[in-house]
Amino acid sequence: MNQHDFAALLTPEGRALLDSLRDYDPSQELAVATRLRRDHPAGLVSAALGQARLRQRAVAKFGAEDAYRMFFTPGGVEMATRASVAAYRAERLSALGVRSLADLCCGIGGDAIALARAGIRVLAVDRDPLTADVARANAEALGLEGLIEVREADVTEVGTDGYDAVFLDPARRGGRGRTFDPEAYSPPLSWAVQAAHRARYAAIKIAPGIPHEAVPAEAEAEWISDQGDVKEAVLWFGTAPGAVRATLLPGPHSLCPEVPLPDPEPGPVGRYLYEPDGAVIRAHLVAEVAAALDGRLIDPTIAYITADELRPTPYATAYEITDVLPFNLKKLKALLREREVGVLTVKKRGSAIEPEELRRKVKPQGRNAATVILTRVAGAPSMLIGSPAGPAR
């Protein structure tokens, strides 16, 4: 889609056509396109069908109410912040007293929308002309144009003086796909950090796999998960230098110790096994969760916590363990057959075997359910059998 095709979508004819495609089935695209081209220009039909597909994909990130009013580019859907994460960040910025913000590399405007809804005035900047047009259309579609100014420009040439804060979301995809080198971001992380230093408060969205040693000493590093999936990491400036935080959504539930704890000593597998949330693991805060659970690690190199009592925690999922066995496929298959396990959940950490491979080999059949955890216990390949634990009493 180019700017001309996108402009056509914003006309009354384009909007009506797009609205009519809300529930269309992409598998029927050829028939739908043939029918629509009888009454509409071919270019407009093609643009509308492409946009309809993008809106359907965007529902998972933005919810149906917003997604079916917004506009997208393929890259914009892929890179946009999930609405729940953007709303959390906007609320945190608002709580800091931020009332105006420069959103650099704004993309299709997902973060700008959340910020405006939190009452923050936003300058949204992107150098791609089509992306800037889409961001502007989204602000208007959601009635936020009074709070969001969209500017097509190179972010390295935009002055941010006069704004309470800066938010930067450098592009992490190049011509060869996703990049993991922060200096290969566009703009590079080093430039983003310099821009952050010029504002009272700043937040830089980065890939969650960033090594801890790459985090600037003056930044707070936060890893965020939503419904159990790690979505991103954020470098905060002007908040708590050197702090490390894991935040879980919905909630939010935030774990941010004043002084990190040393890793707990490993010990034997108890009645319960806890699988820490990915944000906790990425933030290197497993020890803090283990301490709250009065737990221990099952292996010095594995982020599984075990304990003898069940305690409630938002930071880990608990399993009640019935068997701790050396890894042996033949023995596992016999045990599952004996217990009539047909619904098998397979989890792994520290094991080379893939869950689907295990299911194929053990061929579960029966009316019962079980969870098999492939891991290491005290250095030995092991299999733990159990089921999700109920609420603590």
Side-chain angles (χ1 to χ4, degrees):
M1 181 176 63
N2 55 38
Q3 281 183 283
H4 178 269
D5 291 336
F6 180 65
L9 287 178
L10 301 181
T11 65
E13 180 185 9
R15 291 178 185 272
L17 179 58
L18 191 51
D19 288 344
S20 74
L21 291 171
R22 174 172 176 142
D23 299 318
Y24 107 102
D25 181 356
S27 68
Q28 303 298 315
E29 180 167 326
L30 181 58
V32 173
T34 301
R35 173 175 57 81
L36 292 177
R37 284 171 181 155
R38 297 176 189 139
D39 303 308
H40 304 281
L44 177 59
V45 170
S46 178
L49 288 170
Q51 194 62 219
R53 291 194 302 273
L54 293 175
R55 283 183 166 183
Q56 290 178 358
R57 285 174 54 194
V59 168
K61 281 192 174 182
F62 291 92
E65 184 176 351
D66 282 352
Y68 284 111
R69 290 189 290 165
M70 293 172 65
F71 299 89
F72 302 95
T73 63
V77 171
E78 180 72 22
M79 297 302 295
T81 302
R82 183 178 289 265
S84 55
V85 178
Y88 160 74
R89 182 165 40 240
E91 289 164 8
R92 188 172 177 196
L93 285 161
S94 178
L96 290 170
V98 171
R99 297 295 174 263
S100 63
L101 178 144
D103 178 2
L104 307 181
C105 308
C106 69
I108 54 104
D111 279 282
I113 289 165
L115 291 160
R117 284 174 168 168
I120 298 173
R121 178 173 57 86
V122 182
L123 169 65
V125 183
D126 202 283
R127 69 181 179 183
D128 179 67
L130 174 60
T131 301
D133 286 349
V134 171
R136 191 174 295 109
N138 285 335
E140 295 172 356
L142 299 179
L144 298 169
E145 64 269 33
L147 284 169
I148 300 175
E149 174 196 346
V150 178
R151 186 180 302 174
E152 178 196 328
D154 186 325
V155 297
T156 63
E157 299 174 358
V158 174
T160 57
D161 293 345
Y163 291 90
D164 297 335
V166 172
F167 173 64
L168 303 104
D169 183 5
R172 295 182 297 281
R173 284 184 179 275
R176 297 183 178 180
R178 191 180 298 273
T179 178
F180 298 97
D181 177 7
E183 285 307 295
Y185 292 176
S186 180
L189 180 59
S190 56
W191 182 90
V193 170
Q194 291 176 0
H197 286 157
R198 292 193 288 269
R200 182 179 180 187
Y201 295 109
I204 305 175
K205 177 180 171 181
I206 55 175
I210 186 170
H212 280 234
E213 55 269 24
V215 174
E218 68 275 20
E220 171 195 339
E222 179 179 33
W223 280 262
I224 303 173
S225 69
D226 186 28
Q227 300 183 55
D229 292 331
V230 181
K231 293 302 178 184
E232 63 183 58
V234 184
L235 300 182
W236 291 89
F237 296 81
T239 54
V244 175
R245 181 187 301 267
T247 296
L248 283 58
L249 302 175
H253 302 284
S254 279
L255 186 63
C256 186
E258 290 187 10
V259 179
L261 295 175
D263 289 340
E265 291 296 320
V269 178
R271 182 176 178 184
Y272 297 99
L273 185 83
Y274 293 86
E275 179 183 24
D277 183 271
V280 170
I281 296 172
R282 294 278 194 178
H284 296 180
L285 295 177
V286 173
E288 281 69 19
V289 176
L293 296 170
D294 193 21
R296 53 198 177 269
L297 298 181
I298 64 170
D299 184 278
T301 64
I302 301 293
Y304 278 137
I305 300 166
T306 187
D308 303 310
E309 295 182 3
L310 181 61
R311 296 185 181 182
T313 176
Y315 300 112
T317 301
Y319 297 87
E320 186 168 9
I321 301 302
T322 56
D323 303 85
V324 181
L325 303 167
F327 178 76
N328 185 303
L329 273 176
K330 186 176 180 180
K331 191 168 186 177
L332 177 62
K333 185 174 182 179
L335 189 148
L336 296 177
R337 185 186 302 115
E338 176 187 328
R339 296 181 184 177
E340 298 183 346
V341 172
V343 180
L344 183 64
T345 300
V346 182
K347 306 188 75 67
K348 57 168 275 185
R349 182 162 293 152
S351 171
I353 295 190
E354 294 299 327
E356 286 306 317
E357 179 187 357
L358 182 78
R359 287 193 190 90
R360 285 196 303 270
K361 290 183 176 179
V362 300
K363 300 176 182 176
Q365 293 181 353
R367 54 189 176 84
N368 296 321
T371 299
V372 173
I373 299 164
L374 305 177
T375 187
R376 291 194 303 272
V377 176
S382 304
M383 49 190 191
L384 281 54
I385 302 170
S387 60
R393 293 185 292 273

